[in-house]
Every structure is written in C-alpha cells, then in structure tokens.
Amino acid sequence: MTALLEVTDVKVKRGNRVVVDVPHLAIQPGEVLAVIGPNGSGKSSLLHALALLIPASFGSYRWEGRQVSLPQEALALRRQMAVVFQESLLLTGTVMQNVTLGLRLRGVPAAKQREVAMEMLEQLRISHLAHRSSRQLSGGEAQRVSIARALATGPRLLYLDEPMASLDVLARSHLLADLRRILTASGTAALFVTHDFTEIPPLADRVAVLAEGKLLQIGTPAEVFNQPATPLVRDLVQVAHDLVRTLDAGRRQEGP
Ligand SMILES: Nc1ncnc2c1ncn2[C@@H]1O[C@H](COP(=O)(O)OP(=O)(O)OP(=O)(O)O)[C@@H](O)[C@H]1O
C-alpha cells in the first residue's frame, strides 16, 4: 500500500540542538499512530515538523507516494492536514462559528459550512452546543469542539498533541471511543502524542517510541508492550505492565 505520508531523515533543531532525528517514518492511509516517550523526547517537535508548522529538514517528504517540494507546497499540503492541541484554542464567538472557521477560510458557501459543521457536531455528540459561546464550555466540551473544527475541513491526516491531557478519565474514554469511530468511518489517518498508555489500545493501530529525538521502536501496541526493543522502551511500558499485574493480583485475592 502506498503510504499517506512517508518521510526520511527528519531533523528538527531547537537552538543549536538537534531534538528530532528520525531516519524513516510512514503513516498509512486511515492508520492511527500513537507517539509516546519521556518528557522532552521530541514528540511535539516531530508532530509539528510533520504538520509543517515549524522549520525542519527532510531527506524526503512524500505524500501518497509523491515527492513534495518544501517549502513551496507546504501551504497546499497543510490543507489536507489538521492539528488539535492540548488546549482547545477556541476563538471568541459561538461553537458554530469556531467549527465553520476552516470552511469559511476555504470559501465554502455559508449554507454548506453550517451543514458540514452540524454534521461534525452531531458526530461528536455536541450539536446541542452549536449556538453556545465558546467561552461557556467545560474543558471536555471545548476539546470536542476543537476536534470538530479540525475534522470539519475533511483532513486526510489529523495530528493530535496530547488532546485528552486535561480531561477526566470518563470524558477521555468516551472521547477516545467517539474519535476512533469517526476516524474509522471517514478513513482519516491520525498521529497522536500521548503520555497516557490507556489511550493506546482504544485508539492506536501502531505505537512509535521516541527518546532523545530518536525512534527506538515502532510496531503494533502488542509488539511494543510485549517485545520492547530496548531497555528504555521496557522501562516505559513496565508501568503499564505493573498496573495490569496489580489489578490481576487484586482480582485473584478477591476470588471469583
Ligand atoms: N520553542 C522551543 N525552543 C527551544 N527549545 C525547545 C522549544 N520547544 C521544545 N524545545 C526543546 O526541544 C526538546 C524536545 O521538546 P518537545 O516539546 O518536542 O518534547 P516532548 O517529547 O513533546 O516533551 P513533553 O512530553 O514534555 O511535552 C526539549 O529538549 C525542549 O526543551
């Protein structure tokens, strides 16, 4: 299958330091890739570089098999991608005004803007908030609005930088399920950065582990969790293993 996005020799410099140095990374159409790693390992920098939001150097940057010329084609390509950040970054105005923003900038007729936005709000189960001010939303609602805004333009690839970090566990679990359903139904690929391993099974097809800007391992969640490729990956996933073991031990003690 031709990858949706395939990059080689990605390097991001912050000051004089190279903070991302990844020889190869590919995202398949419709695939959801989680990126995990310690603080400061370069996860956000990698995401921002791939989304063409910060300067980076690429050996090659291929979109659906075609070599993209950067920076000349960056603007056109960015229209096929969307980004959701940890903070919802909504503009003053109503939810509807926020969700139609990207479509407005693309010159989509007003009636169509509203139709598409309403559809996205329904898919994210927040159509009742359409006419609410963006300043009168809970954190979970605001994050749903920012995801609806990102998806309204029909991106082929959605980047999510710790989008659930400020949500409570229930809100997070419901949003993960809704997001997975929407991404699968629309065939949208996604790359999401997370610190929370519980987000991986419901959302990710593959996991990439980054440390000090280097890709230590990439594989299915089962591969990474059961066959960690390096001691650092083992230490990272150990926390998740310990949790499962503790819960199992508790269950055995309680009996059937
Ligand atoms: N705007 C910036 N200017 C200078 N250095 C930066 C900047 N942003 C990030 N860095 C540095 O680049 C490195 C990678 O940071 P980055 O935010 O990409 O890591 P991360 O894995 O996303 O971290 P975290 O998990 O803490 O969010 C870090 O050493 C950080 O200090």
Side-chain angles (χ1 to χ4, degrees), residues 14 17 19 38-45 162 195:
R14 301 283 204 180
R17 266 182 332 122
V19 297
N39 284 132
S41 55
K43 302 179 296 297
S44 295
S45 300
E162 296 190 55
H195 281 290

Side-chain angles (χ1 to χ4, degrees), residues 7-12 18-26 41-42 46 50 57-59 209-210 213-216:
V7 289
T8 60
D9 291 321
V10 189
K11 287 198 174 63
V12 181
V18 175
V19 297
V20 173
D21 183 0
V22 171
H24 178 261
L25 185 67
S41 55
L46 175 65
L50 297 179
S57 71
F58 297 98
V209 187
L210 213 59
K214 305 258 198 248
L215 199 51
L216 299 186

Side-chain angles (χ1 to χ4, degrees), residues 22 52 62 73 111 251:
V22 171
L52 305 175
R62 301 181 85 82
E73 294 182 65
R251 246 181 251 126

